[in-house]
Amino acid sequence: MYFGPTQGIPYTRGMDHVTVFKALSNASRLQILELLRDPERHFSDHGVLSRVHECGVCVGAIQEKLGLSQSTVSSYLSLLQRAGLVDATRVGPWTYYRRNEKTLHALSNYFAAQL
């Protein structure tokens, strides 16, 4: 992620602002980030808690929670991953997602300092 030269604000090189803002411009993608903020609370009824701490939340649990098709949720997660807002971990046939707190923190700092 690159938020340009800032004084005293941590940033990561290579982030495309447009991709980040595009990823954040959809209510369902925002909801995914909100759900992943506290996965233990939001996904306790999905029986995935054993993997939450280790890997994140599987696509199927997110899809079920949102009530959207698996392909739509996968597409949303792919964009969030390209934007650097979530990280993905493959375990066998499943992909698990968690928030990238470092990127979200840098984005928060960018907003506070630049906008």
Side-chain angles (χ1 to χ4, degrees):
M1 174 181 324
Y2 175 74
F3 292 118
T6 56
Q7 297 180 352
I9 298 172
Y11 62 92
T12 307
R13 296 181 192 272
M15 176 53 73
D16 175 10
H17 289 92
V18 174
T19 302
V20 171
F21 296 132
K22 180 179 179 180
L24 297 173
S25 70
N26 174 282
S28 294
R29 288 190 294 264
L30 286 173
Q31 187 176 8
I32 290 169
L33 289 174
E34 291 168 5
L35 292 170
L36 292 177
R37 183 175 188 182
D38 189 1
E40 292 86 359
R41 186 175 110 213
H42 295 293
F43 296 99
S44 63
D45 57 333
H46 289 272
V48 297
L49 291 182
S50 61
R51 292 266 190 216
V52 165
H53 298 292
E54 183 183 332
C55 306
V57 178
C58 70
V59 174
I62 296 168
Q63 179 256 323
E64 187 178 320
K65 188 64 112 172
L66 294 177
L68 299 172
S69 71
Q70 187 273 334
S71 61
T72 298
V73 172
S74 290
S75 173
Y76 287 169
L77 287 164
S78 178
L79 179 55
L80 289 168
Q81 185 179 10
R82 282 193 312 274
L85 299 169
V86 298
D87 294 319
T89 302
R90 288 284 290 180
V91 178
W94 297 280
T95 303
Y96 294 86
Y97 291 88
R98 64 177 23 171
R99 288 166 37 122
N100 182 330
E101 296 298 336
K102 183 177 177 181
T103 299
L104 290 165
H105 182 71
L107 183 60
S108 175
N109 287 339
Y110 170 76
F111 278 117
Q114 302 296 319
L115 298 179

PDB file of all heavy atoms in Angstrom, residues 4-26:
ATOM      1  N   GLY A   4       1.509   7.775  -0.415  1.00  0.00           N
ATOM      2  CA  GLY A   4       2.253   8.985  -0.716  1.00  0.00           C
ATOM      3  C   GLY A   4       3.118   9.405   0.443  1.00  0.00           C
ATOM      4  O   GLY A   4       3.064   8.851   1.534  1.00  0.00           O
ATOM      5  N   PRO A   5       3.951  10.402   0.195  1.00  0.00           N
ATOM      6  CA  PRO A   5       4.835  10.871   1.254  1.00  0.00           C
ATOM      7  C   PRO A   5       4.032  11.558   2.352  1.00  0.00           C
ATOM      8  O   PRO A   5       3.267  12.464   2.095  1.00  0.00           O
ATOM      9  CB  PRO A   5       5.762  11.843   0.538  1.00  0.00           C
ATOM     10  CG  PRO A   5       5.070  12.207  -0.722  1.00  0.00           C
ATOM     11  CD  PRO A   5       4.115  11.104  -1.057  1.00  0.00           C
ATOM     12  N   THR A   6       4.178  11.063   3.543  1.00  0.00           N
ATOM     13  CA  THR A   6       3.507  11.655   4.693  1.00  0.00           C
ATOM     14  C   THR A   6       4.526  11.826   5.791  1.00  0.00           C
ATOM     15  O   THR A   6       5.493  11.085   5.871  1.00  0.00           O
ATOM     16  CB  THR A   6       2.353  10.760   5.186  1.00  0.00           C
ATOM     17  OG1 THR A   6       2.879   9.467   5.460  1.00  0.00           O
ATOM     18  CG2 THR A   6       1.246  10.656   4.156  1.00  0.00           C
ATOM     19  N   GLN A   7       4.312  12.781   6.623  1.00  0.00           N
ATOM     20  CA  GLN A   7       5.268  13.043   7.688  1.00  0.00           C
ATOM     21  C   GLN A   7       4.904  12.236   8.921  1.00  0.00           C
ATOM     22  O   GLN A   7       3.901  12.509   9.564  1.00  0.00           O
ATOM     23  CB  GLN A   7       5.296  14.530   7.998  1.00  0.00           C
ATOM     24  CG  GLN A   7       5.765  15.337   6.808  1.00  0.00           C
ATOM     25  CD  GLN A   7       5.808  16.806   7.105  1.00  0.00           C
ATOM     26  OE1 GLN A   7       5.353  17.248   8.144  1.00  0.00           O
ATOM     27  NE2 GLN A   7       6.372  17.562   6.188  1.00  0.00           N
ATOM     28  N   GLY A   8       5.727  11.242   9.216  1.00  0.00           N
ATOM     29  CA  GLY A   8       5.521  10.448  10.421  1.00  0.00           C
ATOM     30  C   GLY A   8       4.395   9.448  10.331  1.00  0.00           C
ATOM     31  O   GLY A   8       4.025   8.848  11.322  1.00  0.00           O
ATOM     32  N   ILE A   9       3.806   9.251   9.152  1.00  0.00           N
ATOM     33  CA  ILE A   9       2.698   8.310   9.004  1.00  0.00           C
ATOM     34  C   ILE A   9       3.196   7.071   8.284  1.00  0.00           C
ATOM     35  O   ILE A   9       3.749   7.165   7.192  1.00  0.00           O
ATOM     36  CB  ILE A   9       1.534   8.938   8.223  1.00  0.00           C
ATOM     37  CG1 ILE A   9       1.015  10.140   8.997  1.00  0.00           C
ATOM     38  CG2 ILE A   9       0.434   7.929   7.989  1.00  0.00           C
ATOM     39  CD1 ILE A   9       0.008  10.931   8.245  1.00  0.00           C
ATOM     40  N   PRO A  10       3.022   5.904   8.907  1.00  0.00           N
ATOM     41  CA  PRO A  10       3.495   4.689   8.252  1.00  0.00           C
ATOM     42  C   PRO A  10       2.692   4.410   6.984  1.00  0.00           C
ATOM     43  O   PRO A  10       1.496   4.651   6.929  1.00  0.00           O
ATOM     44  CB  PRO A  10       3.251   3.600   9.301  1.00  0.00           C
ATOM     45  CG  PRO A  10       2.279   4.161  10.248  1.00  0.00           C
ATOM     46  CD  PRO A  10       2.392   5.657  10.182  1.00  0.00           C
ATOM     47  N   TYR A  11       3.352   3.945   5.953  1.00  0.00           N
ATOM     48  CA  TYR A  11       2.679   3.548   4.729  1.00  0.00           C
ATOM     49  C   TYR A  11       3.421   2.376   4.123  1.00  0.00           C
ATOM     50  O   TYR A  11       4.575   2.135   4.429  1.00  0.00           O
ATOM     51  CB  TYR A  11       2.578   4.696   3.720  1.00  0.00           C
ATOM     52  CG  TYR A  11       3.901   5.224   3.244  1.00  0.00           C
ATOM     53  CD1 TYR A  11       4.484   4.708   2.099  1.00  0.00           C
ATOM     54  CD2 TYR A  11       4.571   6.221   3.947  1.00  0.00           C
ATOM     55  CE1 TYR A  11       5.709   5.179   1.660  1.00  0.00           C
ATOM     56  CE2 TYR A  11       5.794   6.693   3.504  1.00  0.00           C
ATOM     57  CZ  TYR A  11       6.361   6.169   2.361  1.00  0.00           C
ATOM     58  OH  TYR A  11       7.551   6.629   1.938  1.00  0.00           O
ATOM     59  N   THR A  12       2.740   1.666   3.271  1.00  0.00           N
ATOM     60  CA  THR A  12       3.336   0.539   2.580  1.00  0.00           C
ATOM     61  C   THR A  12       3.319   0.859   1.098  1.00  0.00           C
ATOM     62  O   THR A  12       2.301   1.275   0.574  1.00  0.00           O
ATOM     63  CB  THR A  12       2.521  -0.747   2.848  1.00  0.00           C
ATOM     64  OG1 THR A  12       2.375  -0.902   4.256  1.00  0.00           O
ATOM     65  CG2 THR A  12       3.194  -1.957   2.280  1.00  0.00           C
ATOM     66  N   ARG A  13       4.412   0.655   0.440  1.00  0.00           N
ATOM     67  CA  ARG A  13       4.525   0.992  -0.979  1.00  0.00           C
ATOM     68  C   ARG A  13       3.686   0.062  -1.848  1.00  0.00           C
ATOM     69  O   ARG A  13       3.476  -1.083  -1.516  1.00  0.00           O
ATOM     70  CB  ARG A  13       5.978   0.913  -1.412  1.00  0.00           C
ATOM     71  CG  ARG A  13       6.831   1.921  -0.712  1.00  0.00           C
ATOM     72  CD  ARG A  13       8.270   1.815  -1.184  1.00  0.00           C
ATOM     73  NE  ARG A  13       9.117   2.597  -0.311  1.00  0.00           N
ATOM     74  CZ  ARG A  13       9.375   3.886  -0.494  1.00  0.00           C
ATOM     75  NH1 ARG A  13       8.867   4.516  -1.510  1.00  0.00           N
ATOM     76  NH2 ARG A  13      10.148   4.540   0.343  1.00  0.00           N
ATOM     77  N   GLY A  14       3.221   0.588  -2.966  1.00  0.00           N
ATOM     78  CA  GLY A  14       2.574  -0.234  -3.968  1.00  0.00           C
ATOM     79  C   GLY A  14       1.049  -0.242  -3.959  1.00  0.00           C
ATOM     80  O   GLY A  14       0.450  -0.835  -4.841  1.00  0.00           O
ATOM     81  N   MET A  15       0.390   0.395  -2.999  1.00  0.00           N
ATOM     82  CA  MET A  15      -1.062   0.360  -2.945  1.00  0.00           C
ATOM     83  C   MET A  15      -1.651   1.349  -3.939  1.00  0.00           C
ATOM     84  O   MET A  15      -1.195   2.475  -4.041  1.00  0.00           O
ATOM     85  CB  MET A  15      -1.556   0.682  -1.538  1.00  0.00           C
ATOM     86  CG  MET A  15      -3.075   0.770  -1.430  1.00  0.00           C
ATOM     87  SD  MET A  15      -3.971  -0.642  -2.065  1.00  0.00           S
ATOM     88  CE  MET A  15      -3.643  -1.827  -0.815  1.00  0.00           C
ATOM     89  N   ASP A  16      -2.655   0.921  -4.629  1.00  0.00           N
ATOM     90  CA  ASP A  16      -3.384   1.744  -5.573  1.00  0.00           C
ATOM     91  C   ASP A  16      -4.608   2.325  -4.855  1.00  0.00           C
ATOM     92  O   ASP A  16      -5.505   1.592  -4.464  1.00  0.00           O
ATOM     93  CB  ASP A  16      -3.794   0.883  -6.770  1.00  0.00           C
ATOM     94  CG  ASP A  16      -4.667   1.591  -7.775  1.00  0.00           C
ATOM     95  OD1 ASP A  16      -4.838   2.822  -7.687  1.00  0.00           O
ATOM     96  OD2 ASP A  16      -5.173   0.888  -8.664  1.00  0.00           O
ATOM     97  N   HIS A  17      -4.641   3.642  -4.698  1.00  0.00           N
ATOM     98  CA  HIS A  17      -5.761   4.297  -4.006  1.00  0.00           C
ATOM     99  C   HIS A  17      -7.096   3.918  -4.622  1.00  0.00           C
ATOM    100  O   HIS A  17      -8.077   3.683  -3.915  1.00  0.00           O
ATOM    101  CB  HIS A  17      -5.622   5.819  -4.068  1.00  0.00           C
ATOM    102  CG  HIS A  17      -4.536   6.373  -3.234  1.00  0.00           C
ATOM    103  ND1 HIS A  17      -3.274   6.585  -3.710  1.00  0.00           N
ATOM    104  CD2 HIS A  17      -4.530   6.773  -1.943  1.00  0.00           C
ATOM    105  CE1 HIS A  17      -2.526   7.102  -2.758  1.00  0.00           C
ATOM    106  NE2 HIS A  17      -3.253   7.214  -1.672  1.00  0.00           N
ATOM    107  N   VAL A  18      -7.160   3.892  -5.939  1.00  0.00           N
ATOM    108  CA  VAL A  18      -8.421   3.604  -6.627  1.00  0.00           C
ATOM    109  C   VAL A  18      -8.935   2.220  -6.251  1.00  0.00           C
ATOM    110  O   VAL A  18     -10.128   2.040  -5.996  1.00  0.00           O
ATOM    111  CB  VAL A  18      -8.258   3.753  -8.154  1.00  0.00           C
ATOM    112  CG1 VAL A  18      -9.511   3.314  -8.887  1.00  0.00           C
ATOM    113  CG2 VAL A  18      -7.910   5.191  -8.514  1.00  0.00           C
ATOM    114  N   THR A  19      -8.044   1.247  -6.183  1.00  0.00           N
ATOM    115  CA  THR A  19      -8.451  -0.111  -5.810  1.00  0.00           C
ATOM    116  C   THR A  19      -8.981  -0.146  -4.383  1.00  0.00           C
ATOM    117  O   THR A  19     -10.005  -0.782  -4.101  1.00  0.00           O
ATOM    118  CB  THR A  19      -7.274  -1.097  -5.972  1.00  0.00           C
ATOM    119  OG1 THR A  19      -6.830  -1.059  -7.327  1.00  0.00           O
ATOM    120  CG2 THR A  19      -7.687  -2.507  -5.616  1.00  0.00           C
ATOM    121  N   VAL A  20      -8.320   0.554  -3.475  1.00  0.00           N
ATOM    122  CA  VAL A  20      -8.779   0.602  -2.086  1.00  0.00           C
ATOM    123  C   VAL A  20     -10.158   1.233  -2.007  1.00  0.00           C
ATOM    124  O   VAL A  20     -11.079   0.689  -1.396  1.00  0.00           O
ATOM    125  CB  VAL A  20      -7.780   1.376  -1.191  1.00  0.00           C
ATOM    126  CG1 VAL A  20      -8.364   1.608   0.199  1.00  0.00           C
ATOM    127  CG2 VAL A  20      -6.468   0.636  -1.094  1.00  0.00           C
ATOM    128  N   PHE A  21     -10.313   2.384  -2.638  1.00  0.00           N
ATOM    129  CA  PHE A  21     -11.594   3.083  -2.549  1.00  0.00           C
ATOM    130  C   PHE A  21     -12.700   2.330  -3.275  1.00  0.00           C
ATOM    131  O   PHE A  21     -13.849   2.325  -2.833  1.00  0.00           O
ATOM    132  CB  PHE A  21     -11.461   4.519  -3.040  1.00  0.00           C
ATOM    133  CG  PHE A  21     -10.538   5.338  -2.174  1.00  0.00           C
ATOM    134  CD1 PHE A  21      -9.548   6.119  -2.743  1.00  0.00           C
ATOM    135  CD2 PHE A  21     -10.626   5.310  -0.792  1.00  0.00           C
ATOM    136  CE1 PHE A  21      -8.689   6.866  -1.953  1.00  0.00           C
ATOM    137  CE2 PHE A  21      -9.768   6.040   0.014  1.00  0.00           C
ATOM    138  CZ  PHE A  21      -8.801   6.824  -0.569  1.00  0.00           C
ATOM    139  N   LYS A  22     -12.363   1.657  -4.368  1.00  0.00           N
ATOM    140  CA  LYS A  22     -13.347   0.823  -5.052  1.00  0.00           C
ATOM    141  C   LYS A  22     -13.800  -0.310  -4.132  1.00  0.00           C
ATOM    142  O   LYS A  22     -14.985  -0.607  -4.031  1.00  0.00           O
ATOM    143  CB  LYS A  22     -12.767   0.258  -6.341  1.00  0.00           C
ATOM    144  CG  LYS A  22     -13.739  -0.621  -7.088  1.00  0.00           C
ATOM    145  CD  LYS A  22     -13.137  -1.148  -8.387  1.00  0.00           C
ATOM    146  CE  LYS A  22     -14.139  -2.052  -9.089  1.00  0.00           C
ATOM    147  NZ  LYS A  22     -13.591  -2.586 -10.341  1.00  0.00           N
ATOM    148  N   ALA A  23     -12.836  -0.940  -3.463  1.00  0.00           N
ATOM    149  CA  ALA A  23     -13.168  -2.042  -2.555  1.00  0.00           C
ATOM    150  C   ALA A  23     -14.080  -1.573  -1.426  1.00  0.00           C
ATOM    151  O   ALA A  23     -14.951  -2.317  -0.973  1.00  0.00           O
ATOM    152  CB  ALA A  23     -11.898  -2.664  -1.989  1.00  0.00           C
ATOM    153  N   LEU A  24     -13.898  -0.347  -0.990  1.00  0.00           N
ATOM    154  CA  LEU A  24     -14.700   0.188   0.118  1.00  0.00           C
ATOM    155  C   LEU A  24     -16.028   0.793  -0.337  1.00  0.00           C
ATOM    156  O   LEU A  24     -16.827   1.203   0.497  1.00  0.00           O
ATOM    157  CB  LEU A  24     -13.891   1.244   0.871  1.00  0.00           C
ATOM    158  CG  LEU A  24     -12.620   0.740   1.553  1.00  0.00           C
ATOM    159  CD1 LEU A  24     -11.827   1.910   2.120  1.00  0.00           C
ATOM    160  CD2 LEU A  24     -12.945  -0.277   2.624  1.00  0.00           C
ATOM    161  N   SER A  25     -16.271   0.823  -1.641  1.00  0.00           N
ATOM    162  CA  SER A  25     -17.454   1.521  -2.167  1.00  0.00           C
ATOM    163  C   SER A  25     -18.686   0.639  -2.310  1.00  0.00           C
ATOM    164  O   SER A  25     -19.637   0.999  -2.991  1.00  0.00           O
ATOM    165  CB  SER A  25     -17.127   2.165  -3.518  1.00  0.00           C
ATOM    166  OG  SER A  25     -16.958   1.158  -4.512  1.00  0.00           O
ATOM    167  N   ASN A  26     -18.684  -0.506  -1.685  1.00  0.00           N
ATOM    168  CA  ASN A  26     -19.798  -1.441  -1.786  1.00  0.00           C
ATOM    169  C   ASN A  26     -20.223  -1.851  -0.379  1.00  0.00           C
ATOM    170  O   ASN A  26     -19.383  -2.237   0.443  1.00  0.00           O
ATOM    171  CB  ASN A  26     -19.344  -2.665  -2.598  1.00  0.00           C
ATOM    172  CG  ASN A  26     -20.358  -3.756  -2.647  1.00  0.00           C
ATOM    173  OD1 ASN A  26     -20.504  -4.500  -1.688  1.00  0.00           O
ATOM    174  ND2 ASN A  26     -21.052  -3.867  -3.758  1.00  0.00           N
TER     175      ASN A  26
END
